Amino acid sequence: YSRTDKYSEARTKATDILDISQGTVTLTLDKQTITAKSGETLTFRAKIVDAAGDNINKGKVVFKLNGKTLKDTNGQTLYAQVKDGEAVLDYTIPSIYSAKTYTLTAVYGGGNYQRAETNGTLKLERKAVTINTDTITTTNGKTTIKAKIRDETGKLLITNTKLAIKINQKTILNNITSTNGTINLSFTTTLRPGTYELTIISGENSIYKKGTLNTVLKI
């Protein structure tokens, strides 16, 4: 108490402790389940409100896939700043990610509020492929096939894939591979001159679906 003309200054010290604790938040994902394919750019969105249900405007959120924090191409952690109760992160799923179900985790941290975490699901599906031949030639009993395998976005495959070659539905080559979407192979045939059905099969793997091309082989 500060002094006046009638009273002198006075002080006292409280024996109780003023304890200010961090507040709590509720963290939710905008979509509990997201279905996509490797190589796609997705928007991860989380909502954050305090105990009274009011939007939070402080702190940041990191997102994880199967416990691994998402980072940029330089290896730096990607943070989504919280604004008006929302944290948004655009992220391109690496093309090498396998088609399977991942646990998507959002983690909030904000200084004045306790850490919060919530989980959702990211389902990656295999991508369809298309096989297109460049040239198919047969000279002196030797057939050469040059072709390309592309995914549904038109990009060459980023992995090697098992191939099978059939002529009139009979397998003549198996357990051979394409190299990053490029087919360049030769084989010897004892077929008589004529027109045959040639089938090229690209096998399914962890990223791509099975692909089949039926075309004509002229000898």
Side-chain angles (χ1 to χ4, degrees), residues 29-70:
L29 289 170
D30 183 50
K31 292 182 179 180
Q32 197 65 27
T33 300
I34 300 174
T35 301
K37 296 175 182 178
S38 61
E40 287 187 17
T41 298
L42 305 178
T43 298
F44 296 132
R45 194 184 305 269
K47 296 181 180 179
I48 309 97
V49 296
D50 63 17
D54 295 326
N55 289 340
I56 297 294
N57 280 291
K58 294 182 179 180
K60 52 193 175 183
V61 171
V62 295
F63 293 89
K64 300 180 179 183
L65 287 178
N66 282 0
K68 185 177 180 180
T69 301
L70 301 186

Side-chain angles (χ1 to χ4, degrees), residues 127-131 149-152 157 202 208-212:
K127 291 187 278 191
V129 301
T130 302
I131 305 173
I149 314 173
R150 300 180 186 276
D151 67 18
E152 57 196 55
L157 307 193
S202 174
Y208 303 104
K209 295 180 180 179
K210 175 183 176 181
T212 303

Side-chain angles (χ1 to χ4, degrees), residues 174-195:
N174 206 357
N175 291 325
I176 54 177
T177 60
S178 66
T179 303
N180 294 335
T182 298
I183 299 173
N184 188 357
L185 59 89
S186 297
F187 56 92
T188 301
T189 65
T190 58
L191 299 172
R192 296 178 180 179
T195 300

Side-chain angles (χ1 to χ4, degrees), residues 12-196:
T12 186
K13 184 178 181 180
T15 57
D16 294 331
I17 297 175
L18 177 61
D19 184 9
I20 300 177
S21 60
Q22 290 181 311
T24 59
V25 302
T26 298
L27 174 66
T28 57
L29 289 170
D30 183 50
K31 292 182 179 180
Q32 197 65 27
T33 300
I34 300 174
T35 301
K37 296 175 182 178
S38 61
E40 287 187 17
T41 298
L42 305 178
T43 298
F44 296 132
R45 194 184 305 269
K47 296 181 180 179
I48 309 97
V49 296
D50 63 17
D54 295 326
N55 289 340
I56 297 294
N57 280 291
K58 294 182 179 180
K60 52 193 175 183
V61 171
V62 295
F63 293 89
K64 300 180 179 183
L65 287 178
N66 282 0
K68 185 177 180 180
T69 301
L70 301 186
K71 298 182 179 181
D72 62 20
T73 55
N74 296 317
Q76 300 300 311
T77 298
L78 293 169
Y79 294 101
Q81 298 296 327
V82 178
K83 296 180 181 179
D84 196 25
E86 195 171 61
V88 179
L89 178 68
D90 292 328
Y91 182 71
T92 300
I93 303 298
S95 297
I96 61 173
Y97 273 33
S98 297
K100 62 180 183 180
T101 299
Y102 297 81
T103 298
L104 172 64
T105 303
V107 181
Y108 169 80
N112 294 333
Y113 297 93
Q114 296 177 15
R115 180 184 183 277
E117 181 176 318
T118 190
N119 291 322
T121 300
L122 172 65
K123 295 181 178 179
L124 291 187
E125 299 177 334
R126 289 180 173 86
K127 291 187 278 191
V129 301
T130 302
I131 305 173
N132 297 110
T133 57
D134 296 328
T135 60
I136 301 176
T137 58
T138 300
T139 304
N140 297 326
K142 183 179 181 180
T143 297
T144 298
I145 300 175
K146 293 184 178 181
K148 296 289 193 300
I149 314 173
R150 300 180 186 276
D151 67 18
E152 57 196 55
T153 68
K155 295 181 180 179
L156 288 172
L157 307 193
I158 62 169
T159 62
N160 297 346
T161 55
K162 292 290 183 66
L163 299 174
I165 306 296
K166 295 183 178 183
I167 295 179
N168 286 356
Q169 299 304 313
K170 181 180 179 180
T171 301
I172 61 169
L173 287 177
N174 206 357
N175 291 325
I176 54 177
T177 60
S178 66
T179 303
N180 294 335
T182 298
I183 299 173
N184 188 357
L185 59 89
S186 297
F187 56 92
T188 301
T189 65
T190 58
L191 299 172
R192 296 178 180 179
T195 300
Y196 299 86

